[in-house]
Amino acid sequence: MEEGKCNGKKVILFDGVCNLCDGFVRFVHKLDSDNQIHFCPLQSKTGKEYISAYDLPNDLSTVCFVEEPNYSNEGGKSFSQSSAALRIISYLAYPWCLLYFLILIPPIIRDTVYNFVSSSRYLVFGKGKQDSCSHVPGLRKKFLDLGEDDDDRISHQVHQPQQIPPSYPHVYSFPPHQYDTSSKIA
């Protein structure tokens, strides 16, 4: 992360193995009509740099949102827990952006609900593979921590057909589902 640049990126920092977080990232990507939000797992090297640079909680139980410095926002802003979720929602397409009015609820109430969901997310939604949503074509390029090696690894995983053991001849092998991210929700 280069200091001093005024690029104004908006970055969601999330738990890279949480299925609920994975679904939220896919949801945001689909509704980010201005294509301005980027993603970064909290566990990654870049994620740790953001945590340090913006003095964010080093805790996988919270989503964090960073608005990097730009000319109207010189110092940059960071949010966590319910404030981060609501700030992210404010950037989504209509009608979802209207949910930002929930910011009027006192933070202690919002964060209590957020913490309850956060503490039970693995139990209810489970854990997945690290950065599984980065395998979605179109979404992969919005991840900040994917280098060329990661792109090759992910590309290989996405296009490699699944191997079926010979003892199961009645099971068919299909390549992973290719998501169409080019269409917008009407």
Side-chain angles (χ1 to χ4, degrees):
M1 189 168 63
E2 296 178 30
E3 303 262 344
K5 279 195 158 186
C6 291
N7 56 8
K9 277 184 190 163
K10 291 155 186 63
V11 181
I12 296 176
L13 301 161
F14 67 100
D15 180 355
V17 297
C18 169
N19 286 337
L20 176 62
C21 303
D22 178 70
F24 183 68
V25 166
R26 291 172 192 246
F27 174 77
V28 169
H29 171 65
K30 194 176 261 190
L31 295 171
D32 179 18
S33 58
D34 294 331
N35 201 26
Q36 59 186 339
I37 297 177
H38 299 272
F39 308 97
C40 184
L42 286 162
Q43 297 95 327
S44 69
K45 179 182 174 190
T46 306
K48 291 175 184 172
E49 289 174 2
Y50 272 103
I51 289 169
S52 176
Y54 286 91
D55 196 29
L56 292 164
N58 192 6
D59 182 8
L60 294 178
S61 69
T62 183
V63 66
C64 298
F65 186 59
V66 172
E67 294 175 341
E68 287 186 350
N70 61 24
Y71 296 106
S72 65
N73 175 21
E74 291 184 23
K77 295 180 183 178
S78 63
F79 307 88
S80 63
Q81 295 186 315
S82 65
S83 296
L86 290 172
R87 189 67 177 196
I88 293 164
I89 286 172
S90 75
Y91 286 101
L92 300 183
Y94 180 83
W96 294 100
C97 60
L98 297 177
L99 290 175
Y100 187 66
F101 85 90
L102 295 172
I103 200 79
L104 298 173
I105 297 172
I108 192 160
I109 296 170
R110 290 191 331 249
D111 288 341
T112 300
V113 172
Y114 182 93
N115 289 333
F116 174 75
V117 172
S118 174
S119 67
S120 59
R121 72 189 191 280
Y122 291 145
L123 182 64
V124 175
F125 298 98
K127 281 186 176 184
K129 293 180 181 179
Q130 176 78 23
D131 308 334
S132 63
C133 57
S134 67
H135 298 245
V136 177
L139 180 54
R140 177 179 19 208
K141 65 185 173 195
K142 294 182 77 177
F143 273 72
L144 297 181
D145 62 336
L146 293 181
E148 287 180 21
D149 294 339
D150 291 326
D151 251 353
D152 292 341
R153 175 182 54 83
I154 290 168
S155 174
H156 176 56
Q157 288 176 351
V158 169
H159 300 294
Q160 190 69 22
Q162 183 182 6
Q163 298 296 323
I164 301 296
S167 61
Y168 299 103
H170 61 283
V171 178
Y172 298 99
S173 174
F174 296 102
H177 179 64
Q178 299 297 316
Y179 296 94
D180 179 19
T181 58
S182 62
S183 62
K184 298 284 182 182
I185 294 178

